Amino acid sequence: MNNPSLISVEAAGKHQLQAIYRLEQGLFGDHAYPDFFFRQSFDCWPSGLRVACDQADRLLGYILLARSEQADCAWILSVAVDDAAQGRGIGRRLITESLSALPDGVTRVKLTVAPENPARYLYARLGFVEQGLEADYFGPGEDRILMILQR
């Protein structure tokens, strides 16, 4: 299971929505998206909701990337990798494969990340640039750094 080439990254199936929600809950707790959000995401952005699974079809991670109202912009709304699978390049694969699937007209990709989240360094290595800190982005004490990738 340590071989990254044995991990598949593909569009999520409806049968995987509850597993995505359970992963989200386990990692983000009170700040997790609700279960119905994943069902609606599946309908609204089917190509942007992608999963990483091992050979036994166990969910290892997911990404949700959505086009903005601005045609040249997309947002990464969430990237989550199971604790047991972190450090194996799964988050990087989810991001890079999702970015490569975006239409040519998308020239900017944005995301927010908690200042203490080590994923911000992965984002920086992938070319995302910090644009500043927004205090209380998700409520009191929930600051986020806005990052942008120019493609």
Side-chain angles (χ1 to χ4, degrees):
M1 190 154 102
N2 285 333
N3 185 344
S5 66
L6 299 178
I7 296 166
S8 66
V9 174
E10 58 197 19
K14 193 185 300 184
H15 68 283
Q16 295 170 310
L17 296 178
Q18 280 303 308
I20 293 169
Y21 173 66
R22 284 191 302 274
L23 175 63
E24 175 84 2
Q25 275 288 172
L27 292 173
F28 302 121
D30 290 341
H31 282 281
Y33 287 120
D35 56 351
F36 63 83
F37 176 75
F38 292 105
R39 179 61 178 95
Q40 292 177 318
S41 298
F42 178 79
D43 288 336
C44 292
W45 311 293
S47 64
L49 183 57
R50 301 172 65 84
V51 294
C53 296
D54 64 14
Q55 285 185 303
D57 204 31
R58 285 183 296 249
L59 181 75
L60 302 176
Y62 87 92
I63 186 170
L64 177 57
L65 192 147
R67 292 285 297 269
S68 169
E69 193 170 283
Q70 301 163 328
D72 68 335
C73 185
W75 279 82
I76 294 177
L77 300 178
S78 188
V79 178
V81 176
D82 188 280
D83 287 333
Q86 290 182 8
R88 296 185 12 219
I90 294 168
R92 173 183 290 274
R93 271 196 60 198
L94 283 163
I95 295 166
T96 57
E97 291 187 26
S98 295
L99 292 174
S100 68
L102 283 171
D104 290 337
V106 176
T107 59
R108 297 175 298 142
V109 179
K110 298 180 180 184
L111 60 82
T112 62
V113 62
E116 68 279 1
N117 187 333
R120 76 187 262 206
Y121 303 108
L122 168 63
Y123 303 142
R125 286 191 304 273
L126 292 173
F128 286 84
V129 177
E130 293 186 13
Q131 299 296 298
L133 177 76
E134 185 170 334
D136 304 328
Y137 187 91
F138 284 126
E142 294 297 331
D143 304 343
R144 292 297 182 271
I145 297 169
L146 172 64
M147 300 184 80
I148 299 176
L149 172 70
Q150 298 287 338
R151 301 177 64 215

